[in-house]
Amino acid sequence: MRMSKIAALLSTLFAVGIAHAQAPAQPATARFAAPEEAQPVPGARPLDLKAIDALRGDGLFYFSGTRMVNLRAADRPQGDRYPVTETTSDLGIGAFNPNIDVQNFVRDGERRAIGHPSFAVPAADGTVQLIYNAAHPLRLAVSVKGYDVSGLKVADFLRTAENYTRPEAAKTNGARFPAGSVAYLASARFVDDVLMLPRRESFTGAANVKQMVANFSKDTPFCLAYEDRDGATPYALHFRGTGTKGKTELYRAKSGTMFCARASEQPVAEGTWEERTVGGTRAIVLSFGANVDPLDTGVTPAEREAALIAFIEPTKGAPGVRPGKLYRAGVRLVDFQYRFNSTAATAIQTALGAP
């Protein structure tokens, strides 16, 4: 067996989204609606503030279960920016974008840890840019809406990124916020197109993007990740075309197999692929038609509008093409979670019995 085919077969074992053992559904035909804007809890009273105001003083607090993250700006700016400090009791969780699975962004072929933000730069429109990895900046634009929540139930504000009640809300036993409590709804967008790798990287067997396309253009397809839910459609993908762009064909993936395999002889959907250079790094970026639910391609509800599946080619560190995502500049990442000022955060800690 030729080595390229061996690599392709091995890669499917480790690739993101080996087909789950379930009967795949037919793909939907309607376009999937954009996520709605987050609405405040009834009774929350809007406050007139800018994003930087939420970071001043004691700063802004975010809860991951019973663990807390604090993002705080310095009292005085350095030129046009405020130094910020982020402290957390939950390793790897930050005040913003804990709702997406990212570990490193890739710049000039090198993985760079996102880490904690270094600076906050206020903008004229009231938003703030958080600057991560200042030597090779990753920029996140954040808008914040503040609400006086004094007297309202703590449990109503413990929400997931997808707007479900958090399990720990049941521990609050009807506790209410004291006077001076403020909750924030935030909206975040990447300022630039950026390639991201997940916390757990997967192996594709391809040394570079050209080989990636070649390996999965023949007999062996690539199984895309998908959200395991009612009505899910696992897909097996084939690349078509050569050069720097072409089409993709999506087949229903066969369930219960060790290696990725087609469950149908004819494709059920199609899309396009394009070789792109983003931030000095090469990647194959996928796009699909309106009848393909992004959740069936490895994109989560939080990033449905913002992210495209990308096969990224780092040239430094661990070699080989890795599945990741391209986050598009200026597109909102969905997040229904609240952040809080120090008064509200203390009330939450007390209600949850957290340290």
Side-chain angles (χ1 to χ4, degrees):
M1 185 179 293
R2 297 174 63 182
M3 290 303 294
S4 60
K5 190 166 185 178
I6 293 173
L9 287 171
L10 288 174
S11 71
T12 58
L13 178 61
F14 299 99
V16 172
I18 294 175
H20 292 221
Q22 63 180 58
Q26 293 293 332
T29 57
R31 183 167 182 82
F32 297 90
E36 68 274 18
E37 292 285 346
Q39 299 297 320
V41 169
R45 298 167 291 280
L47 299 172
D48 184 16
L49 55 78
K50 298 179 180 180
I52 193 64
D53 298 331
L55 303 182
R56 288 173 171 161
D58 292 331
L60 172 148
F61 295 81
Y62 166 76
F63 284 85
S64 172
T66 59
R67 299 180 179 181
M68 187 172 67
V69 181
N70 176 222
L71 182 62
R72 179 177 180 177
D75 293 332
R76 295 182 179 180
Q78 296 178 358
D80 66 345
R81 59 186 57 194
Y82 288 79
V84 294
T85 302
E86 187 173 66
T87 56
T88 177
S89 56
D90 195 352
L91 186 64
I93 299 296
F96 291 102
N97 290 342
N99 53 322
I100 60 175
D101 177 22
V102 292
Q103 179 72 38
N104 296 300
F105 66 104
V106 186
R107 184 73 54 79
D108 298 324
E110 185 174 1
R111 296 169 179 82
R112 302 187 187 277
I114 296 170
H116 300 291
S118 304
F119 298 99
V121 182
D125 61 0
T127 63
V128 67
Q129 282 191 18
L130 294 178
I131 310 298
Y132 295 76
N133 201 317
H136 305 276
L138 174 69
R139 302 184 297 167
L140 189 69
V142 177
S143 61
V144 173
K145 295 179 180 178
Y147 300 90
D148 181 349
V149 298
S150 305
L152 299 182
K153 289 185 178 180
V154 169
D156 291 341
F157 292 84
L158 300 180
R159 311 294 294 175
T160 69
E162 297 174 29
N163 209 20
Y164 296 105
T165 300
R166 283 188 175 275
E168 58 269 17
K171 301 177 182 179
T172 62
N173 295 318
R176 293 180 180 269
F177 287 111
S181 296
V182 177
Y184 306 105
L185 282 173
S187 181
R189 296 168 169 82
F190 287 107
V191 176
D192 311 290
D193 285 350
V194 59
L195 294 171
M196 291 279 200
L197 290 171
R199 293 180 178 91
R200 296 183 64 181
E201 294 183 18
S202 299
F203 176 67
T204 67
N208 54 59
V209 293
K210 299 290 188 189
Q211 191 178 81
M212 179 74 193
V213 172
N215 285 352
F216 298 100
S217 295
K218 302 182 180 69
D219 296 333
T220 304
F222 183 92
C223 271
L224 295 171
Y226 71 99
E227 184 180 83
D228 192 2
R229 69 198 191 285
D230 290 342
T233 305
Y235 286 120
L237 175 145
H238 277 283
F239 293 101
R240 301 302 184 212
T242 57
T244 59
K245 61 177 61 176
K247 292 184 177 181
T248 57
E249 293 177 343
L250 295 179
Y251 297 79
R252 289 184 297 168
K254 185 178 292 186
S255 60
T257 59
M258 179 175 292
F259 295 103
C260 183
R262 300 193 303 264
S264 59
E265 291 301 319
Q266 297 298 321
V268 294
E270 62 180 27
T272 61
W273 66 268
E274 181 180 7
E275 182 182 320
R276 293 182 55 183
T277 299
V278 180
T281 302
R282 290 200 304 174
I284 296 295
V285 179
L286 306 183
S287 298
F288 299 106
N291 65 322
V292 177
D293 190 334
L295 304 187
D296 292 328
T297 68
V299 174
T300 68
E303 59 198 11
R304 173 180 275 175
E305 295 296 305
L308 297 173
I309 297 300
F311 298 104
I312 302 169
E313 182 188 317
T315 55
K316 301 172 185 176
V321 173
R322 307 300 169 108
K325 289 168 187 171
L326 168 66
Y327 288 90
R328 297 184 293 161
V331 183
R332 179 172 66 98
L333 294 158
V334 177
D335 193 352
F336 291 94
Q337 299 171 104
Y338 284 88
R339 279 78 175 170
F340 305 92
N341 73 346
S342 59
T343 301
T346 299
I348 294 171
Q349 284 182 299
T350 301
L352 296 179

